[in-house]
Amino acid sequence: MQIIETIAGLRKRLENERTVAFVPTMGNLHEGHLQLMRGARKHAGCVVASIFVNPLQFGPTEDYDRYPRTLKEDCKKLEGLVDAVFAPSVSEMYPEKQTVYIELPGIASELCGAARPGHFRGMATVVLKLLNIVQPHTALFGKKDYQQLHIIRRMTRELNLPIEIVGCETARAADGLALSSRNQYLTDAERAEAPFLYQTLQTLRERMLDGDRDIEKFERQAVETLTSRGWRVDYVAIRNQSDLMKADSQHLVILAAATLGRTRLLDNVELDLA
Ligand code: PAF
């Protein structure tokens, strides 16, 4: 496994590869990331992971500075799973001030986009840069970041990128908590409470499957319950899987984002009514 810090070095390493699968990450890797790497191996002869904490996708009051940077440990975990790790510096990715950004559809300003203005614009811009640098045949992303995956799929489709985007199931701890690099910010008490987010989504899912379809009531009740237990809720929303708009199809997803202490957690569950 090679660790490569420059764009030129990565292009040289990949020039003779016939098929490349790519997993972009911000590092601090956990089992969820490693599952993506294992999945990538099924799609191509060469697997590339990137590790880059992208300043463009963090707001001014967010955790860019304290985001865990653990390159050495990450590379140990990737040994044997990937062929190359692309770990550029900020100046390699942004040698000059980035002035060209991806303009995104309205959905990027809803849900997480409403709570984190500019986040998806910065995310999509770096993902497009990374896809242009790596030029993979396939790129894999976790479904935990459901809205991110949706935006990347749309960007890839609408900009005619010749890349297959694969969404992979969320990896969970034994108690259901979705694995995330940010879970390590949780105190012990918060860690004990954290699986309640997933339990809330599962309860909504079961009630919808039992035939009650009062979406607004479910969303409101879930927010009230979480708030009463000390969560600061950005949203609980039931939307179409296909476009993340108002739920008017049989294939739905229940999404939530809420903060415990100083840790913002995301989760979602899919729900097929047909
Ligand atoms: O999901 C992430 O880790 C990041 O948003 C990504 C896709 C690597 C872009 O920085």
Side-chain angles (χ1 to χ4, degrees):
M1 181 184 88
Q2 266 177 280
I3 301 165
I4 300 169
E5 290 174 1
T6 64
I7 296 168
L10 186 73
R11 290 213 165 119
K12 182 109 202 80
R13 167 65 185 79
L14 298 180
E15 67 190 354
N16 294 320
E17 294 293 348
R18 277 165 42 87
T19 53
V20 175
F22 175 46
V23 183
T25 81
M26 298 206 300
N28 198 242
L29 302 181
H30 51 67
E31 182 52 32
H33 294 113
L34 304 185
Q35 282 182 21
L36 293 176
M37 310 296 164
R38 289 185 205 107
R41 182 59 71 195
K42 296 182 194 134
H43 289 271
C46 175
V47 176
V48 178
S50 66
I51 297 181
F52 178 64
V53 185
N54 172 37
L56 254 46
Q57 68 189 74
F58 289 79
T61 59
E62 293 185 351
D63 57 346
Y64 176 68
D65 288 333
R66 72 184 173 112
Y67 198 87
R69 288 155 173 88
T70 52
L71 184 62
K72 218 169 138 198
E73 293 85 344
D74 291 343
C75 288
K76 271 193 207 137
K77 291 180 187 165
L78 291 174
E79 197 66 63
L81 291 182
V82 309
D83 302 292
V85 179
F86 179 50
S89 62
V90 172
S91 59
E92 180 70 9
M93 287 298 284
Y94 302 114
E96 54 193 336
K97 186 174 155 41
Q98 185 76 19
T99 57
V100 177
Y101 284 83
I102 300 293
E103 188 176 339
L104 295 172
I107 189 60
S109 311
E110 295 185 31
L111 304 170
C112 282
R116 303 185 68 191
H119 165 67
F120 286 123
R121 179 177 181 255
M123 179 283 295
T125 302
V126 83
V127 169
L128 183 58
K129 280 167 78 85
L130 289 166
L131 293 175
N132 282 333
I133 291 166
V134 180
Q135 301 190 1
H137 301 84
T138 308
L140 294 90
F141 296 84
K143 281 195 189 176
K144 183 178 79 66
D145 297 301
Y146 207 90
Q147 192 178 5
Q148 168 174 286
L149 175 61
H150 172 78
I151 289 167
I152 291 168
R153 280 192 197 288
R154 263 177 95 163
M155 176 178 80
T156 306
R157 194 171 66 232
E158 293 188 25
L159 296 181
N160 306 95
L161 304 184
I163 301 171
E164 183 197 9
I165 302 296
V166 176
C168 300
E169 294 307 320
T170 301
R172 298 184 179 279
D175 59 10
L177 176 64
L179 299 188
S180 162
S181 301
R182 291 190 168 99
N183 290 352
Q184 69 191 67
Y185 299 152
L186 295 166
T187 63
D188 289 349
E190 290 162 0
R191 176 63 189 81
E193 170 65 14
F196 189 73
L197 188 62
Y198 181 52
Q199 287 160 26
T200 303
L201 300 184
Q202 290 283 48
T203 306
L204 291 193
R205 182 174 185 277
E206 277 153 32
R207 289 172 68 189
M208 295 271 293
L209 286 171
D210 283 347
D212 188 347
R213 302 284 155 81
D214 190 341
I215 286 176
E216 279 175 27
K217 176 186 75 183
F218 286 146
E219 291 174 347
R220 195 179 54 249
Q221 285 178 348
V223 172
E224 281 166 9
T225 309
L226 285 160
T227 306
S228 71
R229 294 171 67 109
W231 295 73
R232 296 190 306 286
V233 182
D234 286 339
Y235 62 85
V236 176
I238 303 176
R239 300 284 178 104
N240 294 327
Q241 287 175 24
S242 58
D243 55 10
L244 295 187
M245 301 303 277
K246 185 174 173 295
D248 57 8
S249 75
Q250 302 286 308
H251 303 290
L252 304 178
V253 55
I254 313 174
L255 308 120
T259 301
L260 261 187
R262 52 181 202 150
T263 310
R264 187 171 182 273
L265 300 176
L266 291 186
D267 209 343
N268 64 78
V269 296
E270 289 179 326
L271 166 64
D272 296 303
L273 298 172

